[in-house]
Each structure stands twice: as structure tokens, then as C-alpha cells.
Amino acid sequence: VLVLLYCLMLVVGGFKKRRVLDNCAVRLLQRCISLRQITAALLLITFISSMLVTNDVALITFVPLTLIIGKEAGVDVGKIIVWQTLAANLGSMLTPMGNPQNLFLYARYNFDIIAFFKVTWIPTCLAVALLAVFLMRQQDRQLKVSLTSVNVERGWGLIFLNLLFLLCVVTVFHWFDHWLLMITVTVMLVLDRGLFRQIDYSLLFTFAGFFIFIGNLTQFDFLNIIRDSFFGSATGTYFSAIAVSQFISNVPAAMLLAAFSQQREALLLGVNVGGLGTLIASMASVISYKLFAEAYPAQVRHYLLMFLYYNVIGLFLLVPAVYFLMLY
């Protein structure tokens, strides 16, 4: 898991440095002529990209673009950024590489890709419906935003990045041996060794620390008794994952509860739906909050209230719907 996450961070860092995602977003937004169309485009690009490059990277890339549009067009973008955060957290649930907890659970429970998609595709469709309802309730007006085209650094470097990303994906799917990921590290050393200094090593060390902590935790007999009596059911695992995520975020919640539960589908659903709710339920939400707070410090309280409002609605609708459709 650590090696996969490291390699994905390297490759995605290469794409980000070459502004590939920015180019896609700007080209899409240049075709939009109304506030609703621009909002839909921002939600769409965030939703889809989060499936491929993680919810964190999607928000780091596209929330600044939303802030630029807001200042240029005189639009209050707080609600749009809240919806973008929802789009990133919900879109990332579809794929194993969409977020760290999926990557961990995919390896921990030895999912195959078909089994994984059988669990995640229905909640993803529900997420699309939820975002569509929010979007259709937005007041619309003509809005033309002039965005400068983004040049992408093309050539062999970009070709190699695409090939390395494909290698990471098929390795995640267990189609290739994990040792082949050393190719990614070797090529990136030649291609752009500066990216190695930009990796979020604190995240990797946090993962390693949790692995050690949880491995020791499972040695206590009284915790095994709790596991057998409470986490033996899909219902207990699902609702526990949602509740725990609200307080420690869904990545550590997934790692913690995986030590006690064999209900892999329930845990996968719980930590992904549990990314809604409080600001720390998904640490990706903190990213968009910080970006908004830096641009509009006077509107922080309003943003937090709006964030809580839409996240509570999302939880209220998705938690029972996912439970009755997938686990009941």
C-alpha cells in the first residue's frame, strides 16, 4: 500500500506540474455561458478526476480555479466549493486509487476489481443524483468568464507519465507484480527528480505509524471480544465506520476498523459515505476549507455553516439509501 501510494503521488505530481488537469478544466469551462453550466463543469471535472488522481489532488487543483472564476465574475463561490468538496469525496469512492482508504481496503481484503466495483457503483450513482439535485436548485444566470488557456508541457515526458500511471493502475488491480513499481521510481528519477522533494512524506509516515499501532492493538484480548460481538455484522461495521469517521476522518477509521471486521463491503461503504458530515470526516474537506479561508477570511463562518448543511443533507439521504440497497 505504501509503495503504491508513493508511486501514485509521484506520477500525479508529474501531471500536476505539467498542468494537465488545469488544461482540461479550462478547455471545458471556456464552453460554458451560464452560472449553472460553469458550476456543472466544475463539479463534473472534480468528480471524475477524483476517481483517478485522488480527492485531495482534485480539490487542490480545481478549487483555486473556482476562486479565480468567482473573483473575475463577481460570484459567491462558497456554495460551489462546498459542492466541489462533496463531488471529490463522493466521486473518489468509485475506484481503488480514488482515495487512500480505498487503496488500503482494496489491498487489505484482497478485492478483485469486479468485486470492488460491484460495491461502489451504486453509491456513486446515488452521489451523481444528489449532486444533480443540488445543481438544479441553483439559480441560473448568464455568465461568461474569460480564462487564459493553459499550455501543457508535451513530449516524451508526458508520454512516460501516462504509461507510468497505467502501470500503477494495473498494479493496483493486482494484474502485475508490485515489484514492477520500481520502474516508476527509476523512470521518475530520470524524468524529474525534483518531484521526490514535493511528496507528502508525512502522509506516508502516518500510514506506517497506523499500521504499527493497529497491529499492536489487535493483540489485546478484550478488543477481540468487542470485535466478535459487535463488528461481526455488516450493520454494526457500516454504522461504526460512519460514526468513527466523523471524529478521526475516514482514512484512519478504515485502518482501525479493518483490524476488527471482516465485513469488507460494509466497511468500504461506511468509510466512503462517512466522508460526509464534519469537516474532518474526510481530510480532503480541510483542503478546500483552507483554500476558501485564505481567499475569503471574513466568510469562514458562513462557509462552515453551509458545509455542515449540505453534508448533513448528504448523510441523511445517502446513509439509509446505501444501507437498504447494499447491505439490508
Side-chain angles (χ1 to χ4, degrees):
V1 172
L2 291 175
V3 173
L4 273 170
L5 187 59
Y6 186 67
C7 290
L8 281 168
M9 291 166 77
L10 279 173
V11 176
V12 170
F15 282 128
K16 191 171 183 294
K17 186 175 181 178
R18 286 163 175 77
R19 306 192 70 184
V20 174
L21 296 176
D22 299 82
N23 177 268
C24 294
V26 168
R27 292 177 66 179
L28 180 62
L29 289 166
Q30 286 174 337
R31 293 171 170 78
C32 300
I33 60 172
S34 70
L35 178 59
R36 185 175 291 166
Q37 286 182 0
I38 287 175
T39 304
L42 287 167
L43 295 184
L44 178 65
I45 195 71
T46 305
F47 190 82
I48 293 176
S49 64
S50 69
M51 301 174 185
L52 303 175
V53 297
T54 76
N55 49 357
D56 293 12
V57 173
L59 291 173
I60 290 172
T61 302
F62 299 122
V63 168
L65 186 60
T66 306
L67 292 170
I68 292 171
I69 291 172
K71 290 189 175 182
E72 182 176 321
V75 175
D76 182 5
V77 293
K79 184 189 294 185
I80 299 175
I81 292 175
V82 169
W83 291 351
Q84 273 186 287
T85 306
L86 287 170
N89 287 330
L90 293 171
S92 66
M93 83 168 79
L94 180 65
T95 64
M97 57 279 186
N99 51 54
Q101 72 266 17
N102 281 7
L103 194 61
F104 167 73
L105 294 174
Y106 190 86
R108 170 70 172 78
Y109 290 110
N110 198 29
F111 275 98
D112 62 70
I113 192 60
I114 301 300
F116 189 91
F117 282 143
K118 282 182 178 179
V119 177
T120 59
W121 77 271
I122 290 179
T124 304
C125 291
L126 293 175
V128 172
L130 177 67
L131 293 170
V133 170
F134 288 159
L135 182 64
M136 294 309 296
R137 291 179 61 84
Q138 184 187 48
Q139 292 183 346
D140 198 17
R141 62 185 174 90
Q142 292 297 109
L143 191 69
K144 186 65 177 177
V145 179
S146 177
L147 293 172
T148 305
S149 298
V150 176
N151 294 321
V152 176
E153 184 183 329
R154 303 182 185 277
W156 284 106
L158 187 58
I159 293 173
F160 277 120
L161 281 174
N162 282 289
L163 292 174
L164 292 175
F165 181 74
L166 182 61
L167 175 62
C168 289
V169 170
V170 297
T171 306
V172 169
F173 293 167
H174 306 314
W175 294 348
F176 284 176
D177 192 277
H178 287 70
W179 288 107
L180 287 175
L181 289 172
M182 291 305 298
I183 296 173
T184 302
V185 177
T186 304
V187 174
M188 293 305 292
L189 277 170
V190 177
L191 194 64
D192 191 347
R193 64 182 59 191
L195 289 172
F196 286 82
R197 294 191 295 270
Q198 300 174 22
I199 294 295
D200 185 2
Y201 289 98
S202 62
L203 177 63
L204 297 174
F205 284 122
T206 301
F207 262 69
F210 265 108
F211 288 144
I212 296 169
F213 170 72
I214 293 168
N216 287 314
L217 198 64
T218 56
Q219 303 305 311
F220 291 98
D221 291 336
F222 77 92
L223 289 175
N224 291 326
I225 294 172
I226 295 175
R227 175 194 64 189
D228 296 336
S229 60
F230 191 71
F231 293 107
S233 70
T235 300
T237 299
Y238 175 70
F239 287 104
S240 295
I242 293 170
V244 173
S245 295
Q246 304 308 305
F247 299 99
I248 65 172
S249 95
N250 51 7
V251 175
M255 299 175 70
L256 178 63
L257 298 184
F260 303 106
S261 178
Q262 294 304 312
Q263 301 289 334
R264 64 179 193 174
E265 290 86 3
L267 182 54
L268 177 62
L269 291 169
V271 293
N272 277 289
V273 176
L276 305 182
T278 64
L279 187 67
I280 63 168
S282 170
M283 295 311 293
S285 302
V286 179
I287 293 173
S288 52
Y289 163 73
K290 286 183 175 179
L291 291 170
F292 180 85
E294 289 175 3
Y296 300 98
Q299 299 181 33
V300 165
R301 184 175 179 274
H302 177 66
Y303 177 89
L304 289 173
L305 290 173
M306 192 158 42
F307 178 91
L308 188 61
Y309 173 76
Y310 283 106
N311 273 264
V312 168
I313 290 176
L315 276 177
F316 180 77
L317 294 175
L318 289 184
V319 168
V322 171
Y323 176 72
F324 285 109
L325 288 173
M326 301 297 297
L327 299 173
Y328 185 69

